Amino acid sequence: MNDLTKLREHLATIGDLHSAAALLRWDQETYMPPGGAGTRAHQLATLSRLAHERFTAPLTGSLLEEAEPLLSRLAPDSDDAALLRETRRDFDRARKLPAEFVEERARARSESTEVWRTARPANDFPTFRPHLARMVEFARRAAGYLGYTHHPYDALLDEYEPETTTRDVAALFDRLREVTVPLVRAIGARGEAVDARFLDREYPEEQVRGCALSIIRSFGFDTARGRMDTSAHPFSTGFGRGDVRITTRYPRRSLGALFGAFHESGHAMYSQGSAPSLDRTPLDAGASYGIHESQSRLWENLVGRSRPFWQYAFPGLRQAFPAHLGSVDAEMFYRAVNRVRPSLIRVDADEVTYNLHIILRFELEQALVAGDLDVKDLPEAWNAKMAEFLGVTPPDDANGVMQDIHWSYGLIGYFPSYTIGNVASVQFFEAAQRAHPGLVEDIRLGRFSALLRWLRDHVHAHGRKYLPKDLLLRATGSPLTPEPYLRYLRQKFGEIYGLGGGGA
Ligand code: ZN
């Protein structure tokens, strides 16, 4: 028994506590009767506290210290070396935040989110404002404890995108904005070139669910090791690669649930594809939130909103909904599910405008954390940027600054991961295509196994073994770069909207 065995055992126990908590949260969002809420809050608090206490205890530090001399003898890309590196990173980070701070913040988070839940539908920013101000203050304090060189935002970003700096993200986002804003204007000038009215009809929920499940199973979502249920907000969670669960919702009984299911199946297949050697270790996770998002976006957009995919899948869909889609063909459907329209709500945004919603949040978050923007001036700043980026102005704060749950929970530094995921998704897809030149033809025939196998080998199997930038470089031969994504957007939407020479 070498020194690493003890560390592995210790971390596996902590991982079990996290898994049990995740299962309770899944249950809370899906099947728990409302009466369970009070007891459930205690159960979750207890499990989280136990896991946190065990992980930040001196024992973790001494087990790490005992094992770390092994590093010089381990291959740098071995599981053991990665385990030591990543555990050291988590441990140092967790120990920098004082226990009282973590507890105080946890309490404030639940309060703030509760207030947000009623203030948003009531369009009552003044009631939410002091809670949001507190969340910003916690973020600033956290950045102070964690430390940073250039910008306090670096310290926050690092939790979601290890070793990615504010400067890296700003450079990426500036380039995206430079191309996207004029593209949105050019598309807007084409008027209503795409008819999507048939998407707004009411589709029976049970049949939408059936279609969604059958499609994601064909992608490779393994229902012997996963399941799909219904919740108010779609999500994916897992307790090891043998049990990965996703949820969808059926808003306005539209076909939107199909794309929600495609998205969550991308997250789930990432988790199902983790290497068995990573079981019950902290490496059984995604490389970063952005890399996780790249997998969901790849299946949702690069496969699920592509023309070849609907050439394959549309006949089956029309058969399921003859009254709704009888007079529609695959090409009309493809164009409809890719309609571009500047809108107020991020989660409803199309592929072209989506990133502008993220860039707006990124800029506002930096200003809040740096102390350049006061929370009381936030609604005005929000609305000004919406007008500047998207040409729309929210009629109220419910459809503006209060729309996302993230800030109410103090998740500041998280939003950039969504756009990083979009950008990386195209890099991964193109790398898979280079390895399998027949990939697009496969999709047209409803064959997804070569794509999934490539993702398994180059992304999924590695779990959290590599830093996101190293994983991307190994898998695609390139660091994170906006150009493939921008080329994809210009080609796809230039063609749909007849923008002439869109591929430039
Ligand atoms: Zn996602």
Side-chain angles (χ1 to χ4, degrees):
M1 179 151 144
N2 66 28
D3 298 334
L4 221 64
T5 314
K6 280 188 274 175
L7 179 67
R8 277 177 175 273
E9 286 287 324
H10 179 63
L11 296 173
T13 311
I14 296 167
D16 292 343
L17 291 170
H18 285 301
S19 294
L23 179 56
L24 289 181
R25 270 193 293 271
W26 170 85
D27 174 69
Q28 181 165 25
E29 299 295 324
T30 50
Y31 293 105
M32 187 187 80
T39 320
R40 186 56 48 89
H42 286 298
Q43 295 161 342
L44 282 169
T46 300
L47 285 172
S48 306
R49 183 171 46 78
L50 288 175
H52 183 75
E53 278 172 6
R54 277 190 177 233
F55 185 64
T56 51
L59 176 63
T60 309
S62 53
L63 289 174
L64 264 174
E65 273 160 36
E66 266 174 54
E68 274 166 342
L70 285 173
L71 266 175
S72 59
R73 284 188 278 129
L74 293 167
D77 60 357
S78 65
D79 290 355
D80 286 345
L83 182 73
L84 287 173
R85 246 184 351 248
E86 291 304 306
T87 305
R88 167 58 71 188
R89 168 197 298 285
D90 290 346
F91 182 68
D92 288 348
R93 197 177 159 93
R95 296 267 291 188
K96 283 181 185 165
L97 299 176
E100 320 80 75
F101 170 81
V102 172
E103 240 186 280
E104 195 192 334
R105 186 177 61 176
R107 261 199 314 275
R109 276 177 162 172
S110 332
E111 270 173 41
S112 165
T113 306
E114 278 315 300
V115 170
W116 173 81
R117 275 185 215 281
T118 50
R120 186 198 171 192
N123 188 35
D124 182 2
F125 185 74
T127 298
F128 177 50
R129 191 173 61 204
H131 294 273
L132 182 55
R134 241 179 124 196
M135 286 301 129
V136 171
E137 194 45 42
F138 278 117
R140 296 173 58 147
R141 278 171 65 193
Y145 290 130
L146 294 166
Y148 53 88
T149 323
H150 296 292
H151 196 289
Y153 197 78
D154 288 337
L156 306 175
L157 194 58
D158 192 66
E159 182 169 352
Y160 311 104
E161 298 302 324
E163 296 198 9
T164 301
T165 66
T166 310
R167 213 179 278 177
D168 300 334
V169 175
L172 178 73
F173 284 11
D174 284 349
R175 177 68 183 140
L176 291 178
R177 184 168 58 173
E178 184 183 32
V179 175
T180 310
V181 170
L183 183 60
V184 172
R185 294 225 173 96
I187 290 171
R190 300 285 300 157
E192 291 292 312
V194 169
D195 182 4
R197 279 170 300 179
F198 53 84
L199 291 180
D200 297 329
R201 295 173 189 156
E202 280 201 8
Y203 290 77
E205 187 176 314
E206 211 29 60
Q207 273 159 276
V208 176
R209 183 187 145 77
C211 288
L213 195 56
S214 129
I215 292 172
I216 64 174
R217 289 178 75 162
S218 75
F219 286 169
F221 175 65
D222 180 356
T223 45
R225 298 188 292 130
R227 49 179 294 131
M228 183 174 92
D229 295 271
T230 305
S231 69
H233 302 281
F235 66 96
S236 158
T237 187
F239 330 107
R241 68 199 154 83
D243 186 355
V244 181
R245 305 184 187 196
I246 63 174
T247 67
T248 50
R249 60 174 178 157
Y250 302 88
R252 301 180 301 278
R253 298 191 170 186
S254 71
L255 286 179
L258 285 181
F259 299 93
F262 298 172
H263 181 96
E264 298 306 331
S265 79
H267 284 302
M269 288 187 281
Y270 191 174
S271 306
Q272 289 183 333
S274 175
S277 62
L278 308 182
D279 285 353
R280 288 184 84 219
T281 75
L283 301 179
D284 181 14
S288 75
Y289 285 72
I291 299 292
H292 232 299
E293 195 65 8
S294 76
Q295 299 306 292
S296 55
R297 288 303 202 173
L298 188 148
W299 290 98
E300 176 190 358
N301 291 331
L302 294 166
V303 177
R305 287 186 212 270
S306 73
R307 181 182 273 131
F309 173 72
W310 286 110
Q311 286 171 342
Y312 152 72
F314 186 73
L317 196 69
R318 187 168 53 195
Q319 217 162 36
F321 304 104
H324 299 73
L325 299 171
S327 59
V328 177
D329 64 24
E331 182 62 20
M332 288 163 73
F333 192 79
Y334 162 69
R335 293 165 65 89
V337 299
N338 285 295
R339 178 177 52 176
V340 175
R341 215 163 42 172
S343 63
L344 299 169
I345 305 294
R346 174 184 62 88
V347 295
D348 295 334
D350 54 79
E351 277 183 90
V352 181
T353 57
Y354 186 91
N355 301 301
L356 296 174
H357 291 266
I358 298 301
I359 297 171
L360 172 149
R361 287 157 176 77
F362 170 65
E363 293 184 357
L364 294 176
E365 285 185 343
Q366 281 177 81
L368 287 169
V369 169
D372 298 336
L373 174 65
D374 194 282
V375 168
K376 76 172 171 7
D377 301 320
L378 187 59
E380 207 180 312
W382 179 286
N383 294 350
K385 280 203 190 290
M386 282 300 282
E388 182 195 339
F389 290 4
L390 287 157
V392 293
T393 305
D396 53 33
D397 295 329
N399 288 287
V401 69
M402 277 202 292
Q403 64 182 269
D404 300 304
I405 194 170
H406 303 58
W407 286 350
S408 78
Y409 196 73
L411 294 180
I412 293 176
Y414 183 113
F415 281 114
S417 296
Y418 291 113
T419 286
I420 290 173
N422 286 335
V423 169
S425 72
V426 176
Q427 292 184 252
F428 285 128
F429 190 81
E430 290 188 350
Q433 234 180 327
R434 286 195 294 274
H436 298 281
L439 202 66
V440 169
E441 198 45 41
D442 270 10
I443 293 175
R444 206 188 309 281
L445 297 168
R447 296 181 189 148
F448 308 101
S449 57
L451 175 59
L452 181 60
R453 207 174 321 116
W454 187 91
L455 294 168
R456 283 263 140 97
D457 292 347
H458 295 85
V459 183
H460 304 174
H462 301 309
R464 211 185 126 194
K465 264 181 75 173
Y466 302 113
L467 285 169
K469 61 177 181 209
D470 295 335
L471 180 78
L472 201 64
L473 195 61
R474 289 174 70 105
T476 72
S478 161
L480 189 70
T481 165
E483 298 313 322
Y485 180 73
L486 289 171
R487 198 165 53 228
Y488 159 78
L489 282 187
R490 282 187 294 207
Q491 252 161 23
K492 177 175 178 177
F493 294 94
E495 196 257 349
I496 290 175
Y497 281 91
L499 299 181

